[in-house]
Amino acid sequence: MVRDDELHIIQVQAIAGISLPTTLVVKKFQNENLALQVDDNVKYHYISEMFLLASNSHDNIIKVVDLIQWEDAIMLVYEYPVNGSLQSWLHQPMDAGRPLSWPVRRLIAIGVAKGLCHMHHRCKRPIIHNNINSNNILLDQNFKPVIASFDAAQMNMAGLDQPLPMVGLPLGNFGYAAPEYGVAASELTEKVDTYSFGVLMLELVTGRMANEAGADGHLATWAWKNFTKLMANQQEMFQSAVDRDIPDQARYMKEMATVFMLGVDCTVGNPQQRPSMRMALKRLRRGCGRGPFRGLLTCYLL
């Protein structure tokens, strides 16, 4: 058995080849029985993650900067972006006087979409992350997002849209997990990442926690039950769903509505009806905020 991976965040003052001072994350792989040395099972886990990241180099994907090997453990060292996780900014503000503006949230949305698009469409073999959530999106000094935590990631040797065997629901992904995870006979495709990405879009617009249950269920369920009412008539209805911490909301209301609708489309129950990440990225870049507000719903239902 391999012990659950340990993460250690450390401040570094002096190390060759890295701008200093900086923060690093050390991820430790070792046997569940600490008296045992590194065996093939431990090596398999760290080699799998190393291989996925080595074949997956992109500005919006976390990078390994070093490997440390001892007799009883192997450690991967990553750069840790200075602004921490998206979750901490949305739900535990690191700087209460500086909430995330909509342009910054838009930058984050596009960056995550670019990273997932690269994984699904531009790698030689598609990679499914399986654990996209706001805690696994890290932000650098300019709030550029990087996708982290590849513990549950899978490389699909059969190619895009081909099913993979079911994996267990990753810890911390409740509220972001596609409904396929709850079906015993289900097989997974890259559309599970699309679903989680959609929840992330809803989270960016509304500021709601993905797994916060309410009368209408979790965030994705709530959005599906209410989007017609929120989008069809008056802008004021949609504005009531927008995160109140976003400054200058009126200026960006139409754009936020398009991202909200993208989130709704990405979280449909049938994975075949979800857009690909390539299409999701195109929609984010292009937007659909033309014409009167009440036309947005029609635009997305065509």
Side-chain angles (χ1 to χ4, degrees):
M1 293 288 290
V2 178
R3 188 179 181 184
D4 290 343
D5 306 328
E6 295 181 9
L7 294 178
H8 305 273
I9 299 177
I10 58 174
Q11 290 285 336
V12 179
Q13 298 300 321
I15 187 171
I18 298 178
S19 300
L20 299 172
T22 192
T23 303
L24 300 175
V25 174
V26 178
K27 185 172 185 177
K28 190 175 183 181
F29 299 82
Q30 61 187 147
N31 275 299
E32 199 169 60
N33 183 343
L34 300 182
L36 297 178
Q37 294 185 350
V38 169
D39 58 16
D40 289 343
N41 198 19
V42 175
K43 289 179 180 178
Y44 170 79
H45 279 77
Y46 96 83
I47 288 173
S48 295
E49 186 156 340
M50 277 286 291
F51 180 74
L52 283 171
L53 290 169
S55 61
N56 202 19
S57 179
H58 189 272
D59 279 350
N60 297 109
I61 295 172
I62 198 166
K63 295 175 177 63
V64 177
V65 297
D66 203 359
L67 167 67
I68 303 170
Q69 187 164 354
W70 293 344
E71 288 186 353
D72 63 343
I74 297 173
M75 289 172 279
L76 295 180
V77 183
Y78 303 86
E79 283 195 36
Y80 186 77
V82 295
N83 272 319
S85 72
L86 174 59
Q87 181 187 57
S88 66
W89 280 89
L90 289 177
H91 307 303
Q92 303 160 13
M94 298 173 70
D95 184 345
R98 192 162 63 106
L100 292 178
S101 67
W102 180 251
V104 169
R105 296 183 195 219
R106 177 180 58 207
L107 174 74
I108 293 168
I110 291 174
V112 175
K114 286 166 66 177
L116 286 172
C117 186
H118 175 81
M119 290 166 58
H120 292 179
H121 300 284
R122 296 184 183 135
C123 290
K124 188 173 182 180
R125 295 286 185 268
I127 294 172
I128 301 176
H129 187 277
N130 278 314
N131 198 13
I132 294 295
N133 60 59
S134 59
N135 195 47
N136 289 336
I137 305 302
L138 305 180
L139 307 172
D140 74 2
Q141 66 272 20
N142 297 314
F143 289 92
K144 181 185 78 175
V146 295
I147 300 169
S149 190
F150 279 73
D151 311 60
Q154 296 172 283
M155 181 175 286
N156 194 340
M157 303 303 291
L160 199 65
D161 294 323
Q162 299 304 307
L164 282 170
M166 173 65 70
V167 296
L169 179 63
L171 293 175
N173 220 33
F174 188 60
Y176 297 89
E180 300 95 281
Y181 286 106
V183 180
S186 182
E187 293 178 310
L188 305 180
T189 70
E190 73 283 350
K191 294 297 181 69
V192 297
D193 286 347
T194 303
Y195 184 97
S196 301
F197 172 80
V199 177
L200 198 67
M201 296 303 97
L202 298 173
E203 197 174 359
L204 283 169
V205 173
T206 67
R208 294 174 178 236
M209 296 184 70
N211 57 6
E212 184 178 345
D216 289 327
H218 299 293
L219 179 55
T221 306
W222 168 84
W224 263 100
K225 288 182 177 179
N226 290 280
F227 82 94
T228 301
K229 177 178 68 176
L230 291 172
M231 305 293 290
N233 295 309
Q234 298 179 350
Q235 180 170 325
E236 289 75 14
M237 286 295 294
F238 176 72
Q239 189 171 3
S240 68
V242 171
D243 187 351
R244 294 180 181 179
D245 288 338
I246 299 175
D248 200 11
Q249 292 185 5
R251 180 179 178 184
Y252 303 108
M253 198 60 63
K254 290 181 180 179
E255 191 170 311
M256 289 189 286
T258 67
V259 175
F260 183 89
M261 282 307 306
L262 176 60
V264 170
D265 286 350
C266 287
T267 53
V268 296
N270 184 345
Q272 294 182 350
Q273 293 179 0
R274 296 171 202 153
S276 68
M277 283 310 306
R278 179 177 285 155
M279 179 55 66
L281 178 57
K282 284 182 179 179
R283 282 176 57 171
L284 278 173
R285 285 173 162 166
R286 182 178 65 233
C288 191
R290 300 192 181 99
F293 186 85
R294 63 179 176 273
L296 283 171
L297 180 62
T298 304
C299 172
Y300 275 101
L301 293 181
L302 289 176

